[in-house]
Amino acid sequence: MSISIDQSKCIGCRRCHDVCPGTLIKINEDKKAFIKYPKDCWGCTSCIKECPVHAIQFFLGEDIGGKGSKVHTEKVNGLIRWIVEFPDGNVKSIDIDPKESNKY
Ligand code: SF4
Ligand code: SF4
């Protein structure tokens, strides 16, 4: 599991860098985030929830979403919307209330 960062969207806020428990994300000279050690990412998804411009996507394994699928989050009215994009172009989303995330 790992993430991809769309540097064309990145605004260099460093939130992903600060939240990553493995200090895997670095900021380059152009103030763009990149993951330096993708093989060490254990998929905690903290960075994708922190990114304010939805520049980070998380690759889903075949067993939990289909090979080639990617997920990112957006904050909508206090909820976290998990948005899965499938290779065939389909998109599915799930809204989770962070205050009751263990009840989903
Ligand atoms: S998913 Fe977690 S471990 Fe992986 S890069 Fe993001 S914050 Fe770091
Ligand atoms: S959180 Fe998003 S915008 Fe901020 S540095 Fe990371 S990728 Fe760039």
Side-chain angles (χ1 to χ4, degrees):
M1 291 182 171
S2 186
I3 59 160
S4 68
I5 300 175
D6 183 345
Q7 292 190 336
S8 68
K9 291 183 180 175
C10 176
I11 58 172
C13 70
R14 302 180 68 91
R15 290 186 197 179
C16 57
H17 168 275
D18 293 344
V19 78
C20 179
T23 58
L24 308 176
I25 299 175
K26 308 295 180 188
I27 307 295
N28 69 17
E29 291 175 353
D30 297 325
K31 295 189 167 71
K32 301 290 185 180
F34 67 100
I35 182 161
K36 189 166 184 182
Y37 309 107
K39 71 177 177 54
D40 292 334
C41 170
W42 56 87
C44 72
T45 72
S46 298
C47 57
I48 70 169
K49 287 186 279 187
E50 284 298 317
C51 181
V53 293
H54 323 130
I56 307 177
Q57 291 198 310
F58 180 74
F59 292 107
L60 292 175
E62 192 167 8
D63 50 344
I64 57 171
K67 191 175 181 181
S69 299
K70 295 179 288 186
V71 64
H72 73 279
T73 65
E74 298 181 9
K75 294 190 172 75
V76 181
N77 298 326
L79 304 175
I80 297 179
R81 179 166 294 165
W82 294 79
I83 301 165
V84 180
E85 298 172 24
F86 296 92
D88 63 5
N90 281 333
V91 176
K92 287 185 180 174
S93 65
I94 306 166
D95 287 347
I96 302 291
D97 183 342
K99 294 190 285 294
E100 299 190 88
S101 57
N102 60 342
K103 293 182 181 174
Y104 176 74

